[in-house]
Amino acid sequence: MIKGDNMTNPTSYNVPYGASIKRIPQAAIAPAKTSKDLVSDHESDAFYFRSLENSGIALNARQIEAVRHDQGPLLTLAGAGSGKTSVLVARAGYLMNVLGVHPSHILLVTFSSKAAAEMKQRIAALPGITSGMAREVQARTFHSFFLLLLRRQGYTQDIFSETRYQHIVLKRILRERGLQDDYEPETLLSVLSSCKMNMTDLNGLPERSMDERNIKRILRQYEQWKADQRKMDFDDILVFAHKLLLSEPSLLASLQQRFRYVMNDEFQDTNKLQYELVRMIAEPQNNLMVVGDDDQTIYTFQGASHEFILQFHRQYPKARTVTLDINYRSTSSIVGLGNEIIRHNMRRKQKTLQATKESPAAPRYYRPGDTDDEAATVLAEIRSEVEQGRRSYSDYAVLYRTASSSRAMLEELVIQNIPFVHDGNTDLFYEQWIVKPIIDHLRLAMDRRSFAAIEGILQTLYVSREKGMEFIYAQEKLRPKKGPLVHLLSLPDLKEFQKEKVKERIELVSMIRDMKPADAIRHMRRSFYDVFMETADGRSFTQHKEMLKETLDELESSAKRFDSIEAFLGHIGHMLQMHQAMEQLRSDPNADTVSLMTIHKAKGLEFPVVFVIGFSEGILPHSSALDAGEDSSAKGDKRPKTVVQADNGQKDAYAALEEERRLAYVAVTRAKEELIVCSPAYYRGKKANVSRFLTAVFSAPKPAAAANTAAPRAQAGPGPAAAAAKPGGAGYRSAPGSGTGGIGGSATASGAPKKLHTVPAWLCTSGSCPAWARISSAQESKRASKACPLCQAPMRRGSKEVPV
């Protein structure tokens, strides 16, 4: 126990609530040896490392190995905070200064303009590199590099990148087709981008339902509009470049001849099209260095795949692997916690990070009552530290899993007038498209002549906003009504069932007026809104369909604090006004502000102090990942949930949970000095257990025999992680004032070891994938071969020992 002097700052602990092990994971401290000790003055390249050291760059043994790599493919596994940028930059300098590679023969691709600019700047600052040499090195984003290629080949299309204009064009197409209330432009753009990045032809999209046919026709019309207007978006840049290289072999050959050395940064974020483009250019020399961390693959919804790392040796059998396993960012207890969280993922490259900084204090854990209590707890600590002069607001980042999880924190920041920058959707929670129709119903209940509110609810009546409001305004000039919504009953071409819906809605708006806001929202959801959100055609295509329920649950949770709709709407108005004022801080890079962002947005960043909120079951891991297991079981899927179902192209429960665990890993490894984790006991009125990602770290290990039935690791064998996992052994430190935590070492409840027996099994023949599957029938045993469900390599018949 290390906090808890007063009621405004509740108690925090060194282990999570309910932990059975009271020991704190600690990463080993890495050896202090650098190139100063490891590279002798007698070595031919010593001059280069001495010059780097004089510039303040002293590399460790693994970094030196990656920098020295010359010919052939290289997979560099760069753990969190392991100095990957320094390695990429230093290798570029090594190629030029030591190996005599011409600068124009080096291509370095990354994902953000900021990262590319930093690479260029740091290459230019290397010893022995002139400004002219630095300019000739192609350090660019994927889009920048391939746009330059297209321009030089005569592509003159304008870049159509403004999201607002893209939405305008799509809304016009939707109006023309009478579908303006059925689809969200951002959803359509997401579907289109997914097709392109996965190299799926738009014409090949399925047409099994009216919904799918509508989507396909809308997107084809949108693509035709761009072609007619001579415009291309960012995705088109890569698509056009790929088609160009396939159709112009001589152009591809010239690029291959020029770029003898290709380096791909953030390889875990690469999608299928990007990987194919890089692979094409790197041939035939295949001097391809990829740098990434499969443990930080959290953008699969955008097409990224950690399989490119896991299967790199299948594409390049002679590739070397270098693991950067020393973390220079965080203290040993933060690195240790990250190690213990991620080691439970089975589909990964084995690595255990070491630290370079001892921990003055261990990560701390709060167990607040709910999200509002959580927000008050977090901000009380931040305000206290800042007011006492120990910290600045800019030292802090508050990270969360989903946008709706930030509602309470955003409100508390505004209420307490704490300056913050919200790096995410700039819309306030109450302005989100899912929430706004409900709020408009509440506004209409308080003011039946609110035309803005009427317009906001028309889509829920399946009435065109444009036609509906035009008719209402026209009727108002002829016969004004206290409740203008009643005019819809005489709207031409309105079907009888729609008229009934309008009548019901008028009655509902009148009825909810005197209800408590939470009761009114619950009534609307049960009466029509939940069904509307589920059945509106376009919703089934959104990547965030699983967010619908939780967003509306969060709205209910917020409304419970108010006794009247009038008070709730007053609160919303105040929040909108204050939020707009806070948003102005975005434009000031030097403002002293708390950073508030999703874990996805935080990847690649670091902060002195990190609060990770919502570390509870149903939040992190997200309910959608937990529901995946229930869905597959409900469909009669009896396959173990520990196997990725590669045959249907979708993630099963285990794959979904592995990505959630990677999110947890990314979150905790953003902290440099202090990490505070909050696990609310209640989430939207329901009890929420501490996240399994934490309880797995602080629970007694499973018996060794039972572990044999777990999903296979991408790279097997005991390693540092196994040693660190042993409670009380290396890698753990006891929490102050704690006992042993009741650790047991027996394999069964009775203390007897589990009996094993041998079963026939399929064994994967891939050297990097030790997957196996039981041969469960005589018919299956007669098969000549079988594809591995994980890596698709051939499997052979063999045997495996399993518990009886």
Side-chain angles (χ1 to χ4, degrees), residues 584-603:
Q584 295 177 3
L585 293 172
R586 254 183 210 274
S587 57
D588 183 0
N590 298 315
D592 186 21
T593 58
V594 174
S595 295
L596 184 66
M597 66 185 70
T598 65
I599 300 170
H600 285 97
K601 288 281 185 181
K603 194 175 83 67

Side-chain angles (χ1 to χ4, degrees), residues 62-276:
R62 298 287 180 85
Q63 291 174 329
I64 293 169
E65 186 180 354
V67 167
R68 279 174 163 170
H69 180 75
D70 182 7
Q71 298 291 316
L74 172 66
L75 171 61
T76 305
L77 296 172
S82 61
K84 69 176 181 63
T85 303
S86 295
V87 169
L88 283 164
V89 169
R91 182 171 185 254
Y94 190 92
L95 291 172
M96 291 182 280
N97 276 333
V98 180
L99 300 180
V101 176
H102 195 276
S104 65
H105 290 170
I106 300 172
L107 171 62
L108 198 164
V109 288
T110 188
F111 281 83
S112 70
S113 300
K114 181 180 179 182
E118 182 185 358
M119 296 278 190
K120 290 179 181 177
Q121 188 176 25
R122 291 180 64 173
I123 289 172
L126 286 172
I129 303 298
T130 66
S131 58
M133 292 169 68
R135 280 195 300 272
E136 289 198 70
V137 174
Q138 291 294 304
R140 294 178 174 272
T141 65
F142 277 94
H143 294 94
S144 168
F145 176 78
F146 287 106
L147 177 60
L148 180 63
L149 173 67
L150 293 177
R151 292 296 191 224
R152 288 177 174 174
Q153 296 301 313
Y155 284 70
T156 59
Q157 293 95 322
D158 294 330
I159 301 300
F160 190 49
S161 59
E162 284 284 339
T163 302
R164 184 166 62 92
Y165 292 136
Q166 292 173 339
H167 286 192
I168 289 172
V169 173
L170 278 167
K171 285 178 179 178
R172 194 188 72 225
I173 292 172
L174 290 169
R175 281 197 302 272
E176 291 174 359
R177 292 181 172 271
L179 300 171
Q180 61 269 32
D181 295 324
D182 293 336
Y183 299 93
E184 292 292 329
E186 66 177 349
T187 297
L188 297 169
L189 290 172
S190 179
V191 172
L192 182 60
S193 180
S194 178
C195 286
K196 292 178 178 179
M197 294 304 98
N198 285 295
M199 303 175 69
T200 301
D201 187 354
L202 191 58
N203 293 323
L205 284 180
E207 299 186 55
R208 295 164 297 195
S209 65
M210 179 60 72
D211 192 31
E212 290 178 344
R213 288 192 289 275
N214 283 339
I215 293 284
K216 186 172 182 178
R217 290 166 185 167
I218 292 165
L219 296 182
R220 288 174 68 174
Q221 185 174 343
Y222 175 70
E223 290 292 277
Q224 186 60 52
W225 179 89
K226 285 193 299 177
D228 293 342
Q229 301 297 317
R230 296 194 54 74
K231 295 184 182 295
M232 61 179 171
D233 58 30
F234 284 132
D235 288 343
D236 292 330
I237 293 172
L238 303 185
V239 172
F240 292 169
H242 183 245
K243 290 180 178 178
L244 176 65
L245 295 181
L246 288 177
S247 62
E248 299 286 347
S250 59
L251 175 62
L252 176 59
S254 68
L255 290 175
Q256 293 170 339
Q257 187 174 6
R258 176 181 173 184
F259 296 111
R260 308 279 179 84
Y261 291 86
V262 180
M263 291 185 273
N264 188 346
D265 186 25
E266 299 286 6
F267 189 56
Q268 76 280 343
D269 293 336
T270 305
N271 60 46
K272 186 175 182 179
L273 179 55
Q274 290 165 337
Y275 184 27
E276 181 64 16

Side-chain angles (χ1 to χ4, degrees), residues 274-347:
Q274 290 165 337
Y275 184 27
E276 181 64 16
L277 285 166
V278 167
R279 188 193 63 77
M280 291 170 68
I281 293 175
E283 290 182 340
Q285 298 98 330
N286 289 330
N287 294 328
L288 173 62
M289 176 187 187
V290 297
V291 182
D293 183 6
D294 54 307
D295 289 336
Q296 297 186 68
T297 305
I298 60 173
Y299 288 106
T300 59
F301 63 91
Q302 292 182 349
S305 174
H306 69 320
E307 290 297 315
F308 296 139
I309 289 180
L310 299 183
Q311 302 302 324
F312 191 73
H313 283 78
R314 289 193 67 198
Q315 179 75 45
Y316 302 100
K318 296 182 180 180
R320 289 178 61 191
T321 299
V322 174
T323 302
L324 307 182
D325 59 358
I326 299 178
N327 181 296
Y328 293 93
R329 173 189 299 151
S330 310
T331 63
S332 60
S333 60
I334 295 173
V335 177
L337 178 62
N339 284 339
E340 288 303 300
I341 286 175
I342 201 61
R343 76 175 181 85
H344 289 84
N345 267 8
M346 298 299 170
R347 193 76 180 128

Side-chain angles (χ1 to χ4, degrees), residues 49-70:
F49 291 101
R50 297 293 93 85
S51 64
L52 287 181
E53 292 155 11
N54 291 334
S55 301
I57 304 172
L59 304 177
N60 65 44
R62 298 287 180 85
Q63 291 174 329
I64 293 169
E65 186 180 354
V67 167
R68 279 174 163 170
H69 180 75
D70 182 7

Side-chain angles (χ1 to χ4, degrees), residues 721-734:
K726 183 180 179 182
Y732 274 85
R733 181 180 296 169
S734 295

Side-chain angles (χ1 to χ4, degrees), residues 399-656:
L399 309 183
Y400 49 89
R401 170 63 178 86
T402 62
S404 62
S405 301
S406 68
R407 190 274 311 165
M409 190 65 65
L410 269 168
E411 292 193 358
E412 195 66 22
L413 282 162
V414 170
I415 290 169
Q416 293 198 28
N417 200 31
I418 292 177
F420 70 94
V421 173
H422 185 204
D423 191 356
N425 190 337
T426 56
D427 288 339
L428 190 65
F429 175 78
Y430 303 106
E431 288 290 284
Q432 293 179 18
W433 66 271
I434 300 171
V435 170
K436 199 169 183 305
I438 291 286
I439 303 299
D440 283 332
H441 278 85
L442 297 179
R443 288 175 174 140
L444 196 58
M446 304 308 296
D447 178 9
R448 288 189 293 165
R449 289 190 60 78
S450 172
F451 291 95
I454 291 173
E455 183 176 358
I457 75 166
L458 288 184
Q459 63 172 332
T460 68
L461 291 164
Y462 303 97
V463 173
S464 164
R465 291 177 184 174
E466 211 169 293
K467 292 179 181 178
M469 291 309 297
E470 184 180 351
F471 182 78
I472 288 172
Y473 283 129
Q475 294 302 306
E476 272 292 292
K477 290 180 180 178
L478 300 175
R479 298 183 304 279
K481 298 285 186 181
K482 291 182 179 179
L485 187 61
V486 75
H487 289 306
L488 284 183
L489 293 172
S490 56
L491 180 67
D493 301 325
L494 198 69
K495 296 179 175 63
E496 283 302 318
F497 85 90
Q498 287 177 296
K499 290 181 181 180
E500 287 301 315
K501 292 290 184 186
V502 173
K503 290 177 183 177
E504 291 171 4
R505 198 64 55 83
I506 291 172
E507 292 175 6
L508 180 143
V509 167
S510 177
M511 178 174 53
I512 65 174
R513 178 181 175 84
D514 297 322
M515 285 185 176
K516 289 186 176 181
D519 293 337
I521 293 168
R522 194 175 301 112
H523 180 74
M524 282 188 279
R525 291 184 64 181
R526 291 173 178 171
S527 299
F528 71 93
Y529 198 65
D530 281 354
V531 173
F532 166 74
M533 295 301 288
E534 285 296 322
T535 58
D537 282 346
R539 312 304 182 208
S540 64
F541 268 82
T542 178
Q543 293 180 355
H544 304 289
K545 184 177 180 180
E546 71 272 10
M547 304 299 180
L548 297 178
K549 182 179 182 301
E550 73 170 42
T551 300
L552 296 175
D553 286 348
E554 185 64 33
L555 179 62
E556 275 190 45
S557 179
S558 174
K560 284 178 183 176
R561 300 170 296 163
F562 301 90
D563 291 328
S564 70
I565 291 176
E566 184 178 16
F568 185 41
L569 292 176
H571 167 74
I572 292 172
H574 174 67
M575 291 301 302
L576 289 169
Q577 187 178 29
M578 296 298 293
H579 188 260
Q580 289 169 1
M582 287 292 182
E583 276 297 308
Q584 295 177 3
L585 293 172
R586 254 183 210 274
S587 57
D588 183 0
N590 298 315
D592 186 21
T593 58
V594 174
S595 295
L596 184 66
M597 66 185 70
T598 65
I599 300 170
H600 285 97
K601 288 281 185 181
K603 194 175 83 67
L605 304 178
E606 58 184 36
F607 306 91
V609 188
V610 169
F611 284 89
V612 186
I613 62 174
F615 226 121
S616 298
E617 290 287 291
I619 315 174
L620 184 64
H622 190 262
S623 56
S624 62
L626 303 179
D627 291 343
E630 295 176 8
D631 290 346
S632 58
S633 296
K635 293 173 184 176
D637 185 356
K638 302 301 182 184
R639 283 182 288 185
K641 297 303 177 287
T642 52
V643 176
V644 179
Q645 298 175 15
D647 55 334
N648 64 10
Q650 297 178 348
K651 292 188 299 184
D652 71 356
Y654 193 81

